[in-house]
Amino acid sequence: MVNGTLIWYYYICKRQVWLISRSIGSDQENELMILGKHIFDIFKKRHKLGLKEIVIDNKIKLDYVKDKIIVEVKKSSKYLQASKMQLCFYLYYHKKYKNLSLSGKLVIPEENKIIDIALDEDIESEIESAISDIQNIINQALPPKPIKIQYCRKCAYKDLCWS
């Protein structure tokens, strides 16, 4: 079952897609994961949002929705492409399975950025291709071999790849 988290990791590291698909957890004490959760908590308090994410079909976890706009909060723009595609997946899912045409906003509080996100045919096609590729990765008996990329140094999964 492809979800937003797998889409996000797909654009960063295909090996992480395989690991997450098997519920192999990352280092929850990773400083960047803790910081991201902290930033989101502050954002929720500042904007008086509910305490929990919105869960749809046990597949989608939305940070929040307001006026037909899905808002995704990220700690930085370091993974901008992955973040945009994760939000596009949510828009795609709602269009395809809920018959809802929504728009999105990617919010990066620490950088004071708000990026408007809209779904178009090219992005829909890319999402469909990513979903297909993710399903192929998930169906493999072994994870893809680790490939050193710029994100490995601070990755919460680095011990599973490089120890």
Side-chain angles (χ1 to χ4, degrees):
M1 172 189 329
V2 176
N3 61 30
T5 302
L6 291 175
I7 292 286
W8 191 81
Y9 278 109
Y10 174 79
Y11 284 90
I12 296 168
C13 175
K14 312 264 188 296
R15 183 175 174 88
Q16 288 184 29
V17 169
W18 189 92
L19 293 168
I20 291 169
S21 75
R22 285 165 172 68
S23 299
I24 298 172
S26 62
D27 175 10
Q28 295 300 306
E29 298 301 315
N30 178 282
E31 63 187 48
L32 296 178
M33 291 185 74
I34 292 169
L35 179 60
K37 290 174 187 173
H38 181 68
I39 289 169
F40 181 62
D41 288 342
I42 291 170
F43 182 83
K44 286 193 309 187
K45 287 177 186 171
R46 189 176 296 153
H47 293 278
K48 298 181 173 110
L49 304 177
L51 297 175
K52 295 195 174 195
E53 299 165 313
I54 300 163
V55 179
I56 299 169
D57 299 338
N58 285 331
K59 186 177 224 178
I60 306 291
K61 285 185 183 179
L62 304 177
D63 290 346
Y64 77 98
V65 179
K66 183 177 182 180
D67 301 326
K68 291 191 172 188
I69 300 171
I70 297 175
V71 177
E72 181 69 18
V73 180
K74 297 295 184 185
K75 71 175 172 47
S76 81
S77 58
K78 182 175 181 181
Y79 306 104
L80 190 57
Q81 177 66 7
S83 299
K84 285 180 180 179
M85 295 312 292
Q86 179 183 16
L87 184 49
C88 286
F89 172 77
Y90 297 150
L91 300 175
Y92 171 85
Y93 185 87
H94 279 83
K95 180 179 178 183
K96 183 166 180 152
Y97 299 105
K98 302 296 181 186
N99 203 27
L100 292 171
S101 185
L102 305 174
S103 60
K105 289 193 182 288
L106 185 59
V107 177
I108 307 165
E110 295 295 296
E111 298 174 12
N112 236 3
K113 287 183 183 177
I114 298 175
I115 302 167
D116 292 324
I117 303 292
L119 203 56
D120 63 28
E121 288 181 15
D122 290 338
I123 293 172
E124 284 184 43
S125 179
E126 184 174 345
I127 290 291
E128 289 169 352
S129 177
I131 290 169
S132 176
D133 200 21
I134 288 168
Q135 289 168 335
N136 289 335
I137 292 168
I138 289 170
N139 290 331
Q140 294 175 7
L142 296 172
K145 293 201 181 298
I147 299 170
K148 277 257 195 227
I149 57 174
Q150 63 184 355
Y151 306 119
C152 291
R153 192 170 59 87
K154 294 186 177 183
C155 175
Y157 283 92
K158 70 181 175 189
D159 290 340
L160 291 173
C161 295
W162 307 110
S163 57

